[in-house]
Short mmCIF file of all heavy atoms in Angstrom, two decimals:
data_model
loop_
_atom_site.label_atom_id
_atom_site.label_comp_id
_atom_site.label_asym_id
_atom_site.label_seq_id
_atom_site.Cartn_x
_atom_site.Cartn_y
_atom_site.Cartn_z
N LEU A 49 139.39 -120.24 58.03
CA LEU A 49 138.49 -119.27 58.61
C LEU A 49 137.24 -119.93 59.18
O LEU A 49 136.72 -119.48 60.20
CB LEU A 49 138.12 -118.18 57.56
CG LEU A 49 139.25 -117.23 57.20
CD1 LEU A 49 138.73 -116.27 56.11
CD2 LEU A 49 139.77 -116.48 58.39
N ILE A 116 138.72 -103.30 62.27
CA ILE A 116 139.82 -103.43 61.32
C ILE A 116 140.86 -102.35 61.69
O ILE A 116 140.50 -101.21 61.97
CB ILE A 116 139.37 -103.30 59.84
CG1 ILE A 116 140.59 -103.52 58.92
CG2 ILE A 116 138.64 -102.00 59.58
CD1 ILE A 116 140.17 -103.79 57.47
N ALA A 169 146.45 -108.04 51.43
CA ALA A 169 145.13 -108.47 51.88
C ALA A 169 145.14 -108.50 53.39
O ALA A 169 146.18 -108.74 54.01
CB ALA A 169 144.80 -109.83 51.32
N PRO A 170 143.98 -108.28 54.05
CA PRO A 170 143.94 -108.22 55.50
C PRO A 170 144.12 -109.58 56.14
O PRO A 170 144.06 -110.62 55.48
CB PRO A 170 142.56 -107.64 55.78
CG PRO A 170 141.73 -107.96 54.56
CD PRO A 170 142.70 -107.93 53.42
N TRP A 171 144.29 -109.56 57.46
CA TRP A 171 144.57 -110.77 58.23
C TRP A 171 143.60 -110.82 59.41
O TRP A 171 143.30 -109.80 60.05
CB TRP A 171 145.98 -110.75 58.79
CG TRP A 171 147.06 -110.65 57.75
CD1 TRP A 171 147.41 -109.57 56.99
CD2 TRP A 171 147.96 -111.68 57.36
NE1 TRP A 171 148.43 -109.85 56.15
CE2 TRP A 171 148.79 -111.15 56.36
CE3 TRP A 171 148.13 -113.00 57.76
CZ2 TRP A 171 149.80 -111.91 55.76
CZ3 TRP A 171 149.13 -113.77 57.17
CH2 TRP A 171 149.95 -113.23 56.19
N PHE A 172 143.18 -112.04 59.76
CA PHE A 172 142.45 -112.26 61.00
C PHE A 172 143.37 -112.57 62.15
O PHE A 172 144.31 -113.37 61.98
CB PHE A 172 141.46 -113.44 60.86
CG PHE A 172 140.04 -113.07 60.75
CD1 PHE A 172 139.33 -113.33 59.60
CD2 PHE A 172 139.37 -112.49 61.82
CE1 PHE A 172 137.99 -112.98 59.50
CE2 PHE A 172 138.05 -112.15 61.75
CZ PHE A 172 137.35 -112.39 60.58
N VAL A 173 143.17 -111.94 63.27
CA VAL A 173 143.88 -112.34 64.50
C VAL A 173 143.14 -113.55 65.05
O VAL A 173 142.01 -113.44 65.52
CB VAL A 173 143.94 -111.23 65.55
CG1 VAL A 173 144.55 -111.72 66.85
CG2 VAL A 173 144.68 -110.02 65.02
N TYR A 186 146.07 -114.89 60.38
CA TYR A 186 145.83 -115.76 59.23
C TYR A 186 145.26 -114.91 58.11
O TYR A 186 144.24 -114.22 58.27
CB TYR A 186 144.82 -116.84 59.65
CG TYR A 186 144.49 -117.90 58.62
CD1 TYR A 186 145.35 -118.93 58.38
CD2 TYR A 186 143.33 -117.81 57.86
CE1 TYR A 186 145.07 -119.92 57.44
CE2 TYR A 186 143.00 -118.76 56.92
CZ TYR A 186 143.87 -119.84 56.71
OH TYR A 186 143.57 -120.79 55.78
N GLN A 187 145.92 -114.93 56.93
CA GLN A 187 145.54 -113.99 55.86
C GLN A 187 144.21 -114.39 55.21
O GLN A 187 143.92 -115.58 54.98
CB GLN A 187 146.62 -113.91 54.80
CG GLN A 187 146.47 -112.70 53.89
CD GLN A 187 147.66 -112.41 53.04
OE1 GLN A 187 148.38 -113.30 52.65
NE2 GLN A 187 147.85 -111.14 52.71
N MET A 188 143.45 -113.35 54.91
CA MET A 188 142.07 -113.53 54.38
C MET A 188 142.14 -113.60 52.84
O MET A 188 141.67 -112.69 52.14
CB MET A 188 141.19 -112.40 54.87
CG MET A 188 141.05 -112.40 56.39
SD MET A 188 140.45 -110.80 57.07
CE MET A 188 138.90 -110.61 56.21
N VAL A 189 142.68 -114.69 52.34
CA VAL A 189 142.74 -114.95 50.90
C VAL A 189 142.32 -116.39 50.68
O VAL A 189 142.24 -117.20 51.60
CB VAL A 189 144.13 -114.70 50.30
CG1 VAL A 189 144.49 -113.23 50.41
CG2 VAL A 189 145.21 -115.56 51.01
N ASP A 190 142.06 -116.74 49.39
CA ASP A 190 141.73 -118.12 49.12
C ASP A 190 142.99 -119.00 49.22
O ASP A 190 144.13 -118.53 49.20
CB ASP A 190 141.08 -118.28 47.73
CG ASP A 190 141.91 -117.62 46.63
OD1 ASP A 190 142.76 -116.78 46.95
OD2 ASP A 190 141.72 -117.96 45.44
N ARG A 193 146.38 -118.70 47.26
CA ARG A 193 147.22 -117.52 47.51
C ARG A 193 147.81 -117.48 48.91
O ARG A 193 148.49 -116.54 49.26
CB ARG A 193 146.39 -116.25 47.29
CG ARG A 193 146.11 -115.96 45.82
CD ARG A 193 145.43 -114.63 45.64
NE ARG A 193 144.02 -114.67 46.05
CZ ARG A 193 143.27 -113.61 46.18
NH1 ARG A 193 143.75 -112.38 45.97
NH2 ARG A 193 141.97 -113.74 46.53
N GLN A 194 147.59 -118.53 49.71
CA GLN A 194 148.16 -118.54 51.06
C GLN A 194 149.68 -118.64 50.95
O GLN A 194 150.24 -119.49 50.28
CB GLN A 194 147.64 -119.77 51.84
CG GLN A 194 146.22 -119.63 52.33
CD GLN A 194 146.11 -118.66 53.48
OE1 GLN A 194 147.08 -118.32 54.16
NE2 GLN A 194 144.92 -118.19 53.72
N ASP A 261 140.09 -109.61 65.66
CA ASP A 261 140.54 -108.37 65.05
C ASP A 261 140.97 -108.65 63.62
O ASP A 261 141.46 -109.74 63.29
CB ASP A 261 141.75 -107.80 65.80
CG ASP A 261 141.35 -107.00 67.05
OD1 ASP A 261 140.16 -106.66 67.17
OD2 ASP A 261 142.26 -106.75 67.86
N ILE A 262 140.77 -107.65 62.76
CA ILE A 262 141.24 -107.76 61.35
C ILE A 262 142.37 -106.71 61.20
O ILE A 262 142.22 -105.56 61.56
CB ILE A 262 140.09 -107.46 60.38
CG1 ILE A 262 138.97 -108.49 60.54
CG2 ILE A 262 140.61 -107.47 58.95
CD1 ILE A 262 137.71 -108.19 59.75
N VAL A 263 143.47 -107.16 60.65
CA VAL A 263 144.67 -106.33 60.52
C VAL A 263 144.99 -106.08 59.04
O VAL A 263 144.95 -107.03 58.22
CB VAL A 263 145.91 -107.01 61.20
CG1 VAL A 263 147.20 -106.31 60.85
CG2 VAL A 263 145.69 -107.04 62.69
N PHE A 294 131.80 -108.36 60.29
CA PHE A 294 132.34 -109.29 59.31
C PHE A 294 131.39 -110.46 59.14
O PHE A 294 131.01 -111.12 60.11
CB PHE A 294 133.71 -109.80 59.74
CG PHE A 294 134.31 -110.76 58.74
CD1 PHE A 294 135.00 -110.28 57.64
CD2 PHE A 294 134.19 -112.14 58.91
CE1 PHE A 294 135.54 -111.16 56.69
CE2 PHE A 294 134.71 -113.00 57.96
CZ PHE A 294 135.39 -112.52 56.87
N PHE A 299 131.82 -112.78 52.67
CA PHE A 299 133.23 -112.79 52.34
C PHE A 299 133.53 -113.87 51.31
O PHE A 299 134.25 -113.63 50.33
CB PHE A 299 134.05 -112.98 53.63
CG PHE A 299 135.50 -113.29 53.40
CD1 PHE A 299 136.43 -112.31 53.14
CD2 PHE A 299 135.98 -114.60 53.47
CE1 PHE A 299 137.76 -112.60 52.95
CE2 PHE A 299 137.32 -114.92 53.31
CZ PHE A 299 138.22 -113.88 53.00
N ILE A 303 135.92 -112.62 47.70
CA ILE A 303 136.93 -112.32 48.74
C ILE A 303 137.55 -110.94 48.48
O ILE A 303 137.65 -110.11 49.39
CB ILE A 303 137.99 -113.40 48.77
CG1 ILE A 303 137.36 -114.71 49.31
CG2 ILE A 303 139.18 -113.00 49.63
CD1 ILE A 303 138.30 -115.91 49.29
N ASP A 304 138.04 -110.70 47.27
CA ASP A 304 138.76 -109.45 47.01
C ASP A 304 137.84 -108.22 47.16
O ASP A 304 138.28 -107.20 47.73
CB ASP A 304 139.38 -109.49 45.64
CG ASP A 304 140.51 -110.51 45.54
OD1 ASP A 304 141.07 -110.88 46.58
OD2 ASP A 304 140.83 -110.96 44.39
N TYR A 306 135.20 -108.02 49.01
CA TYR A 306 134.84 -107.83 50.44
C TYR A 306 135.99 -107.22 51.21
O TYR A 306 135.83 -106.35 52.05
CB TYR A 306 134.44 -109.19 51.04
CG TYR A 306 133.66 -109.05 52.32
CD1 TYR A 306 132.28 -108.96 52.29
CD2 TYR A 306 134.31 -109.01 53.56
CE1 TYR A 306 131.56 -108.85 53.48
CE2 TYR A 306 133.59 -108.88 54.73
CZ TYR A 306 132.22 -108.81 54.70
OH TYR A 306 131.50 -108.69 55.89
N ASN A 307 137.22 -107.67 50.89
CA ASN A 307 138.41 -107.12 51.55
C ASN A 307 138.59 -105.63 51.22
O ASN A 307 138.96 -104.85 52.08
CB ASN A 307 139.68 -107.89 51.11
CG ASN A 307 139.79 -109.23 51.80
OD1 ASN A 307 139.15 -109.50 52.81
ND2 ASN A 307 140.65 -110.09 51.25
N LEU A 310 136.31 -103.70 53.41
CA LEU A 310 136.82 -103.64 54.76
C LEU A 310 137.95 -102.58 54.88
O LEU A 310 137.99 -101.78 55.79
CB LEU A 310 137.39 -105.00 55.19
CG LEU A 310 136.36 -106.08 55.56
CD1 LEU A 310 137.05 -107.39 55.76
CD2 LEU A 310 135.57 -105.70 56.79
#
Side-chain angles (χ1 to χ4, degrees):
L49 288 179
I116 184 165
W171 301 73
F172 251 115
V173 175
Y186 183 80
Q187 197 168 30
M188 297 161 59
V189 294
D190 53 340
R193 286 186 286 170
Q194 285 287 341
D261 279 344
I262 299 173
V263 169
F294 181 83
F299 168 80
I303 292 175
D304 292 338
Y306 199 90
N307 284 343
L310 286 172

